[in-house]
Amino acid sequence: MKTHTDYLWFTTKRRQEFVRITDEVRAAVKKSGVQEGMVLVSAMHITAGVYVNDWESGLIEDFQTWLEKLAPAGLPYKHHQTGEDNADAHLKRTIMGQQVILPITHGDLDLGPWEQVFYAEFDGQRRKRVVVKVMGE
Amino acid sequence: MKTHTDYLWFTTKRRQEFVRITDEVRAAVKKSGVQEGMVLVSAMHITAGVYVNDWESGLIEDFQTWLEKLAPAGLPYKHHQTGEDNADAHLKRTIMGQQVILPITHGDLDLGPWEQVFYAEFDGQRRKRVVVKVMGE
Amino acid sequence: MKTHTDYLWFTTKRRQEFVRITDEVRAAVKKSGVQEGMVLVSAMHITAGVYVNDWESGLIEDFQTWLEKLAPAGLPYKHHQTGEDNADAHLKRTIMGQQVILPITHGDLDLGPWEQVFYAEFDGQRRKRVVVKVMGE
């Protein structure tokens, strides 16, 4: 059994930004030497997420508009009484998901034709991290 | 360490359809011979999901009504400027979830009394796939 | 390869209650002796969830207010024609998520600075269970 751990670091320019990370995840899988197994890709901060969906800029805008409707910024959240202003970021990441696990088959990510992995930042402009944990043989 | 990979194929009759797949996942676990481990069940298309919940037709209708409210079809989504008409399917699958991981204990799925695994199709009527990846010993 | 299985039991006092379980999950990891791997933490009941987010009481209230808005109790759900009254609990758990997988590195949970694991109960006041499955080496 083999394991391998990588950390991806992000400092986005905007507060909210979706970044494609499929290539970085694939590179970690290659580095691990694992032929059959799984890779966990998980946000280590609670105002960011990781999800799989389409690499199409219109749909990414649709996701962002939709999240703003379901979990708006600027409401009088209780969390803001602590001095924070990012309660909406915690809610938005909950909708998009914290993490994905991808299968590894024949030494590569076993993805469908349109699957791309994204880092979803909802409170950026500072250094934040994603863990990539590979396990298999 | 053992791994085993199966693919389940679906061509639903309706655009949106939820299909129970607990038995197919259990069959993959049995075939793998894994006694202790985990099985990943993950949609390979980005307009479908996999989730665990109740096998009760009323609740399944409630889920579908609810998803239509949270992520309606027919809005002027940006994604549709590419010629697509299924932005809502991408959003609905995000709510339901792309995948689940189930524990394997004593050679079988380790499920609670009401847990059933479902494939959730939101843009069907064509061939689509779920990967089942078993890992353990 | 090593595996280890624990079950956490809950009987919450209120119908809806979020319980921090980071320490219990960490204890299971220590008991397993796994140095590098993953741990699955998954609700075994379909009206409860497991999620990672902030240990801050204001934000926990925000989550609960928000879930009530997105998936209200008291609507005429079809599921209630079976005699049940908890359709909203099934929907709320779907938003929060059924499960998380956490990486294990150097024999401990590999968590970001604010990550805490929670059990989210939406139909409590009875005995319910979470499975903790550790796998690694």
Side-chain angles (χ1 to χ4, degrees):
Chain A
M1 203 194 126
K2 283 177 182 177
T3 63
H4 174 76
T5 312
D6 263 3
Y7 302 95
L8 310 178
W9 288 91
F10 303 87
T11 309
T12 60
K13 285 189 189 155
R14 282 162 290 160
R15 182 163 189 265
Q16 180 167 304
E17 203 169 315
F18 290 8
V19 183
R20 195 177 69 94
I21 57 173
T22 316
D23 300 340
E24 289 80 358
V25 175
R26 175 168 283 126
V29 169
K30 297 290 183 187
K31 220 187 318 177
S32 75
V34 165
Q35 293 298 304
E36 295 291 324
M38 297 180 191
V39 53
L40 168 68
V41 189
S42 188
M44 300 187 80
H45 296 258
I46 55 189
T47 52
V50 170
Y51 73 95
V52 165
N53 218 301
D54 206 356
W55 187 20
E56 196 279 296
S57 62
L59 187 70
I60 288 173
E61 274 189 67
D62 291 331
F63 267 119
Q64 295 182 345
T65 305
W66 177 64
L67 290 168
E68 200 54 47
K69 207 169 63 180
L70 290 189
L75 297 188
Y77 292 109
K78 292 251 161 78
H79 185 47
H80 296 177
Q81 296 173 8
T82 65
E84 292 286 354
D85 66 351
N86 60 2
D88 69 298
H90 293 269
L91 306 182
K92 285 173 171 121
R93 104 81 175 250
T94 301
I95 297 270
M96 292 310 288
Q98 172 189 355
Q99 57 187 204
V100 296
I101 306 247
L102 305 171
I104 302 167
T105 307
H106 305 316
D108 200 0
L109 291 177
D110 193 353
L111 297 178
W114 302 103
E115 288 191 290
Q116 295 280 348
V117 192
F118 286 89
Y119 174 67
E121 176 62 84
F122 297 108
D123 188 21
Q125 298 167 319
R126 54 200 172 96
R127 248 164 91 77
K128 292 167 77 172
R129 208 160 48 135
V130 162
V131 57
V132 181
K133 190 100 194 179
V134 187
M135 191 160 87
E137 63 177 0
Chain B
M1 202 194 125
K2 284 177 183 177
T3 62
H4 174 77
T5 312
D6 263 2
Y7 302 94
L8 310 178
W9 289 91
F10 302 88
T11 309
T12 60
K13 285 190 187 153
R14 281 161 292 160
R15 184 164 188 262
Q16 180 168 301
E17 202 169 317
F18 290 8
V19 183
R20 195 177 69 95
I21 58 172
T22 316
D23 300 340
E24 288 79 358
V25 175
R26 175 169 283 126
V29 169
K30 297 288 182 187
K31 221 185 320 175
S32 75
V34 165
Q35 294 297 304
E36 295 291 323
M38 298 180 191
V39 54
L40 169 67
V41 188
S42 188
M44 299 187 81
H45 295 258
I46 55 190
T47 51
V50 170
Y51 73 94
V52 165
N53 217 300
D54 205 357
W55 187 20
E56 197 279 297
S57 61
L59 188 70
I60 289 174
E61 275 190 68
D62 291 330
F63 266 119
Q64 295 183 344
T65 304
W66 177 65
L67 289 167
E68 200 53 46
K69 208 169 63 180
L70 290 189
L75 296 188
Y77 293 109
K78 292 249 163 78
H79 186 47
H80 297 176
Q81 297 173 8
T82 65
E84 292 286 354
D85 66 351
N86 60 2
D88 69 297
H90 294 269
L91 307 182
K92 285 173 171 123
R93 103 79 175 252
T94 301
I95 297 268
M96 291 311 286
Q98 172 189 355
Q99 57 187 203
V100 296
I101 307 248
L102 304 172
I104 302 167
T105 306
H106 305 315
D108 199 0
L109 291 177
D110 193 353
L111 297 178
W114 303 102
E115 287 191 290
Q116 295 280 348
V117 192
F118 287 88
Y119 174 67
E121 175 62 83
F122 297 108
D123 187 22
Q125 298 167 320
R126 52 199 174 98
R127 249 165 90 75
K128 291 168 78 173
R129 208 162 46 136
V130 162
V131 58
V132 181
K133 189 99 193 179
V134 187
M135 191 160 88
E137 64 177 0
Chain C
M1 204 195 124
K2 285 177 181 177
T3 62
H4 174 78
T5 312
D6 263 4
Y7 301 94
L8 309 178
W9 289 90
F10 302 88
T11 310
T12 60
K13 285 188 187 155
R14 281 161 292 160
R15 184 163 188 265
Q16 181 167 303
E17 202 170 316
F18 289 9
V19 183
R20 195 177 70 95
I21 57 172
T22 316
D23 300 340
E24 288 78 358
V25 175
R26 175 168 283 126
V29 169
K30 297 290 183 185
K31 221 186 318 177
S32 75
V34 166
Q35 294 297 304
E36 295 291 325
M38 298 180 191
V39 54
L40 168 67
V41 188
S42 188
M44 300 187 80
H45 295 258
I46 55 190
T47 51
V50 170
Y51 74 95
V52 165
N53 217 301
D54 206 355
W55 187 21
E56 196 279 296
S57 61
L59 187 70
I60 289 173
E61 275 189 67
D62 291 331
F63 266 119
Q64 296 182 344
T65 304
W66 177 66
L67 290 167
E68 200 54 46
K69 207 169 64 180
L70 290 188
L75 297 188
Y77 292 108
K78 293 250 162 76
H79 186 46
H80 296 177
Q81 296 173 9
T82 65
E84 291 287 353
D85 66 352
N86 61 3
D88 69 299
H90 294 268
L91 306 182
K92 286 173 170 122
R93 103 81 175 251
T94 301
I95 297 269
M96 292 310 287
Q98 173 189 353
Q99 57 186 204
V100 296
I101 306 249
L102 304 172
I104 301 167
T105 307
H106 306 314
D108 199 0
L109 292 176
D110 193 353
L111 296 179
W114 303 103
E115 287 190 292
Q116 295 280 348
V117 192
F118 286 89
Y119 173 68
E121 175 63 84
F122 297 108
D123 187 22
Q125 299 167 318
R126 53 200 173 96
R127 247 164 91 76
K128 292 168 78 173
R129 208 160 49 134
V130 162
V131 58
V132 181
K133 189 99 192 179
V134 187
M135 191 161 87
E137 63 177 1

mmCIF file of all heavy atoms in Angstrom, chain A residues 75-78 91, chain C residues 16 18 58-72 92:
data_model
loop_
_atom_site.group_PDB
_atom_site.id
_atom_site.type_symbol
_atom_site.label_atom_id
_atom_site.label_comp_id
_atom_site.label_asym_id
_atom_site.label_seq_id
_atom_site.Cartn_x
_atom_site.Cartn_y
_atom_site.Cartn_z
ATOM 1 N N LEU A 75 -26.412 39.757 4.854
ATOM 2 C CA LEU A 75 -27.511 39.611 5.821
ATOM 3 C C LEU A 75 -26.951 39.778 7.247
ATOM 4 O O LEU A 75 -25.759 39.643 7.465
ATOM 5 C CB LEU A 75 -28.161 38.229 5.676
ATOM 6 C CG LEU A 75 -28.847 37.915 4.338
ATOM 7 C CD1 LEU A 75 -29.608 36.585 4.434
ATOM 8 C CD2 LEU A 75 -29.804 39.030 3.931
ATOM 9 N N PRO A 76 -27.819 40.085 8.192
ATOM 10 C CA PRO A 76 -27.354 40.260 9.586
ATOM 11 C C PRO A 76 -27.093 38.919 10.273
ATOM 12 O O PRO A 76 -27.812 38.523 11.183
ATOM 13 C CB PRO A 76 -28.513 41.014 10.243
ATOM 14 C CG PRO A 76 -29.726 40.604 9.457
ATOM 15 C CD PRO A 76 -29.265 40.352 8.051
ATOM 16 N N TYR A 77 -26.070 38.214 9.807
ATOM 17 C CA TYR A 77 -25.748 36.896 10.361
ATOM 18 C C TYR A 77 -25.232 37.030 11.801
ATOM 19 O O TYR A 77 -24.483 37.964 12.115
ATOM 20 C CB TYR A 77 -24.686 36.223 9.487
ATOM 21 C CG TYR A 77 -25.178 35.840 8.100
ATOM 22 C CD1 TYR A 77 -24.753 36.524 6.965
ATOM 23 C CD2 TYR A 77 -26.065 34.777 7.926
ATOM 24 C CE1 TYR A 77 -25.188 36.163 5.687
ATOM 25 C CE2 TYR A 77 -26.508 34.421 6.651
ATOM 26 C CZ TYR A 77 -26.068 35.112 5.546
ATOM 27 O OH TYR A 77 -26.505 34.753 4.292
ATOM 28 N N LYS A 78 -25.590 36.089 12.638
ATOM 29 C CA LYS A 78 -25.093 36.047 14.031
ATOM 30 C C LYS A 78 -23.563 35.948 14.065
ATOM 31 O O LYS A 78 -22.922 36.484 14.965
ATOM 32 C CB LYS A 78 -25.673 34.818 14.756
ATOM 33 C CG LYS A 78 -27.175 34.891 14.998
ATOM 34 C CD LYS A 78 -27.478 35.093 16.471
ATOM 35 C CE LYS A 78 -28.893 35.623 16.689
ATOM 36 N NZ LYS A 78 -29.912 34.578 16.571
ATOM 37 N N LEU A 91 -21.663 29.308 4.205
ATOM 38 C CA LEU A 91 -22.873 28.680 3.649
ATOM 39 C C LEU A 91 -22.647 28.267 2.193
ATOM 40 O O LEU A 91 -23.011 27.165 1.773
ATOM 41 C CB LEU A 91 -24.062 29.643 3.745
ATOM 42 C CG LEU A 91 -24.378 30.221 5.136
ATOM 43 C CD1 LEU A 91 -25.610 31.119 5.063
ATOM 44 C CD2 LEU A 91 -24.585 29.131 6.183
ATOM 45 N N GLN C 16 -33.435 19.079 16.752
ATOM 46 C CA GLN C 16 -32.309 19.510 15.912
ATOM 47 C C GLN C 16 -31.150 19.934 16.803
ATOM 48 O O GLN C 16 -31.336 20.763 17.698
ATOM 49 C CB GLN C 16 -32.759 20.664 15.021
ATOM 50 C CG GLN C 16 -31.657 21.154 14.100
ATOM 51 C CD GLN C 16 -32.180 22.084 13.005
ATOM 52 O OE1 GLN C 16 -33.060 21.731 12.237
ATOM 53 N NE2 GLN C 16 -31.646 23.282 12.954
ATOM 54 N N PHE C 18 -26.574 20.268 16.762
ATOM 55 C CA PHE C 18 -25.280 20.028 16.116
ATOM 56 C C PHE C 18 -24.269 19.730 17.229
ATOM 57 O O PHE C 18 -24.131 20.506 18.164
ATOM 58 C CB PHE C 18 -24.821 21.261 15.327
ATOM 59 C CG PHE C 18 -25.619 21.541 14.075
ATOM 60 C CD1 PHE C 18 -26.791 20.852 13.779
ATOM 61 C CD2 PHE C 18 -25.195 22.517 13.177
ATOM 62 C CE1 PHE C 18 -27.522 21.113 12.625
ATOM 63 C CE2 PHE C 18 -25.916 22.787 12.018
ATOM 64 C CZ PHE C 18 -27.084 22.086 11.741
ATOM 65 N N GLY C 58 -22.557 31.365 17.014
ATOM 66 C CA GLY C 58 -23.327 32.254 16.134
ATOM 67 C C GLY C 58 -23.483 31.642 14.750
ATOM 68 O O GLY C 58 -24.584 31.620 14.189
ATOM 69 N N LEU C 59 -22.403 31.107 14.223
ATOM 70 C CA LEU C 59 -22.468 30.502 12.889
ATOM 71 C C LEU C 59 -23.358 29.261 12.898
ATOM 72 O O LEU C 59 -24.077 28.996 11.934
ATOM 73 C CB LEU C 59 -21.067 30.149 12.383
ATOM 74 C CG LEU C 59 -21.073 29.681 10.932
ATOM 75 C CD1 LEU C 59 -21.387 30.825 9.973
ATOM 76 C CD2 LEU C 59 -19.752 29.038 10.547
ATOM 77 N N ILE C 60 -23.320 28.519 13.969
ATOM 78 C CA ILE C 60 -24.187 27.328 14.057
ATOM 79 C C ILE C 60 -25.654 27.750 14.017
ATOM 80 O O ILE C 60 -26.465 27.138 13.312
ATOM 81 C CB ILE C 60 -23.824 26.485 15.304
ATOM 82 C CG1 ILE C 60 -22.457 25.820 15.056
ATOM 83 C CG2 ILE C 60 -24.904 25.458 15.613
ATOM 84 C CD1 ILE C 60 -21.877 25.088 16.240
ATOM 85 N N GLU C 61 -25.984 28.845 14.708
ATOM 86 C CA GLU C 61 -27.357 29.386 14.610
ATOM 87 C C GLU C 61 -27.662 29.846 13.186
ATOM 88 O O GLU C 61 -28.781 29.652 12.693
ATOM 89 C CB GLU C 61 -27.538 30.566 15.560
ATOM 90 C CG GLU C 61 -27.913 30.165 16.972
ATOM 91 C CD GLU C 61 -28.300 31.408 17.794
ATOM 92 O OE1 GLU C 61 -29.342 32.030 17.479
ATOM 93 O OE2 GLU C 61 -27.533 31.756 18.707
ATOM 94 N N ASP C 62 -26.688 30.485 12.549
ATOM 95 C CA ASP C 62 -26.888 30.928 11.154
ATOM 96 C C ASP C 62 -27.191 29.739 10.239
ATOM 97 O O ASP C 62 -28.069 29.815 9.381
ATOM 98 C CB ASP C 62 -25.648 31.652 10.630
ATOM 99 C CG ASP C 62 -25.412 33.009 11.291
ATOM 100 O OD1 ASP C 62 -26.398 33.650 11.710
ATOM 101 O OD2 ASP C 62 -24.239 33.416 11.391
ATOM 102 N N PHE C 63 -26.441 28.650 10.430
ATOM 103 C CA PHE C 63 -26.695 27.444 9.629
ATOM 104 C C PHE C 63 -28.137 26.974 9.834
ATOM 105 O O PHE C 63 -28.834 26.633 8.869
ATOM 106 C CB PHE C 63 -25.739 26.316 10.044
ATOM 107 C CG PHE C 63 -24.485 26.237 9.221
ATOM 108 C CD1 PHE C 63 -23.230 26.396 9.802
ATOM 109 C CD2 PHE C 63 -24.535 25.976 7.859
ATOM 110 C CE1 PHE C 63 -22.064 26.323 9.035
ATOM 111 C CE2 PHE C 63 -23.369 25.885 7.089
ATOM 112 C CZ PHE C 63 -22.128 26.065 7.688
ATOM 113 N N GLN C 64 -28.580 26.977 11.067
ATOM 114 C CA GLN C 64 -29.909 26.427 11.354
ATOM 115 C C GLN C 64 -31.023 27.313 10.793
ATOM 116 O O GLN C 64 -32.005 26.818 10.231
ATOM 117 C CB GLN C 64 -30.033 26.153 12.850
ATOM 118 C CG GLN C 64 -29.024 25.060 13.291
ATOM 119 C CD GLN C 64 -29.089 24.672 14.750
ATOM 120 O OE1 GLN C 64 -29.668 25.388 15.557
ATOM 121 N NE2 GLN C 64 -28.496 23.543 15.088
ATOM 122 N N THR C 65 -30.841 28.636 10.921
ATOM 123 C CA THR C 65 -31.817 29.588 10.348
ATOM 124 C C THR C 65 -31.878 29.432 8.829
ATOM 125 O O THR C 65 -32.956 29.425 8.222
ATOM 126 C CB THR C 65 -31.373 31.029 10.675
ATOM 127 O OG1 THR C 65 -31.225 31.142 12.089
ATOM 128 C CG2 THR C 65 -32.369 32.050 10.170
ATOM 129 N N TRP C 66 -30.715 29.293 8.244
ATOM 130 C CA TRP C 66 -30.592 29.169 6.790
ATOM 131 C C TRP C 66 -31.239 27.887 6.287
ATOM 132 O O TRP C 66 -31.988 27.877 5.298
ATOM 133 C CB TRP C 66 -29.098 29.217 6.468
ATOM 134 C CG TRP C 66 -28.685 29.049 5.050
ATOM 135 C CD1 TRP C 66 -28.937 29.878 4.006
ATOM 136 C CD2 TRP C 66 -27.864 27.989 4.525
ATOM 137 N NE1 TRP C 66 -28.325 29.408 2.867
ATOM 138 C CE2 TRP C 66 -27.658 28.259 3.168
ATOM 139 C CE3 TRP C 66 -27.269 26.860 5.088
ATOM 140 C CZ2 TRP C 66 -26.888 27.425 2.353
ATOM 141 C CZ3 TRP C 66 -26.508 26.036 4.282
ATOM 142 C CH2 TRP C 66 -26.324 26.314 2.937
ATOM 143 N N LEU C 67 -30.996 26.785 6.979
ATOM 144 C CA LEU C 67 -31.591 25.501 6.583
ATOM 145 C C LEU C 67 -33.109 25.556 6.685
ATOM 146 O O LEU C 67 -33.817 24.978 5.853
ATOM 147 C CB LEU C 67 -31.038 24.375 7.458
ATOM 148 C CG LEU C 67 -29.576 24.029 7.199
ATOM 149 C CD1 LEU C 67 -29.031 23.143 8.312
ATOM 150 C CD2 LEU C 67 -29.410 23.339 5.848
ATOM 151 N N GLU C 68 -33.611 26.266 7.698
ATOM 152 C CA GLU C 68 -35.065 26.384 7.846
ATOM 153 C C GLU C 68 -35.665 27.151 6.670
ATOM 154 O O GLU C 68 -36.787 26.863 6.237
ATOM 155 C CB GLU C 68 -35.391 27.077 9.172
ATOM 156 C CG GLU C 68 -36.800 26.837 9.657
ATOM 157 C CD GLU C 68 -37.149 25.352 9.747
ATOM 158 O OE1 GLU C 68 -36.327 24.571 10.274
ATOM 159 O OE2 GLU C 68 -38.231 24.974 9.239
ATOM 160 N N LYS C 69 -34.888 28.105 6.149
ATOM 161 C CA LYS C 69 -35.366 28.878 5.002
ATOM 162 C C LYS C 69 -35.327 28.031 3.722
ATOM 163 O O LYS C 69 -36.260 28.033 2.931
ATOM 164 C CB LYS C 69 -34.458 30.109 4.831
ATOM 165 C CG LYS C 69 -35.117 31.291 4.174
ATOM 166 C CD LYS C 69 -34.251 32.557 4.290
ATOM 167 C CE LYS C 69 -32.928 32.417 3.550
ATOM 168 N NZ LYS C 69 -32.071 33.632 3.654
ATOM 169 N N LEU C 70 -34.246 27.277 3.537
ATOM 170 C CA LEU C 70 -34.097 26.477 2.307
ATOM 171 C C LEU C 70 -34.955 25.212 2.309
ATOM 172 O O LEU C 70 -35.347 24.730 1.250
ATOM 173 C CB LEU C 70 -32.630 26.065 2.102
ATOM 174 C CG LEU C 70 -31.628 27.152 1.732
ATOM 175 C CD1 LEU C 70 -30.291 26.520 1.375
ATOM 176 C CD2 LEU C 70 -32.120 28.004 0.571
ATOM 177 N N ALA C 71 -35.196 24.667 3.478
ATOM 178 C CA ALA C 71 -35.907 23.371 3.581
ATOM 179 C C ALA C 71 -36.813 23.418 4.804
ATOM 180 O O ALA C 71 -36.544 22.773 5.819
ATOM 181 C CB ALA C 71 -34.892 22.233 3.697
ATOM 182 N N PRO C 72 -37.918 24.161 4.701
ATOM 183 C CA PRO C 72 -38.749 24.423 5.881
ATOM 184 C C PRO C 72 -39.472 23.178 6.394
ATOM 185 O O PRO C 72 -39.887 22.319 5.603
ATOM 186 C CB PRO C 72 -39.788 25.440 5.363
ATOM 187 C CG PRO C 72 -39.351 25.861 4.007
ATOM 188 C CD PRO C 72 -38.442 24.797 3.487
ATOM 189 N N LYS C 92 -32.748 18.804 4.859
ATOM 190 C CA LYS C 92 -31.698 19.564 5.558
ATOM 191 C C LYS C 92 -30.388 18.778 5.583
ATOM 192 O O LYS C 92 -29.312 19.346 5.408
ATOM 193 C CB LYS C 92 -32.161 19.904 6.978
ATOM 194 C CG LYS C 92 -33.207 21.020 7.018
ATOM 195 C CD LYS C 92 -33.776 21.220 8.414
ATOM 196 C CE LYS C 92 -34.632 22.481 8.470
ATOM 197 N NZ LYS C 92 -36.028 22.237 8.897
#
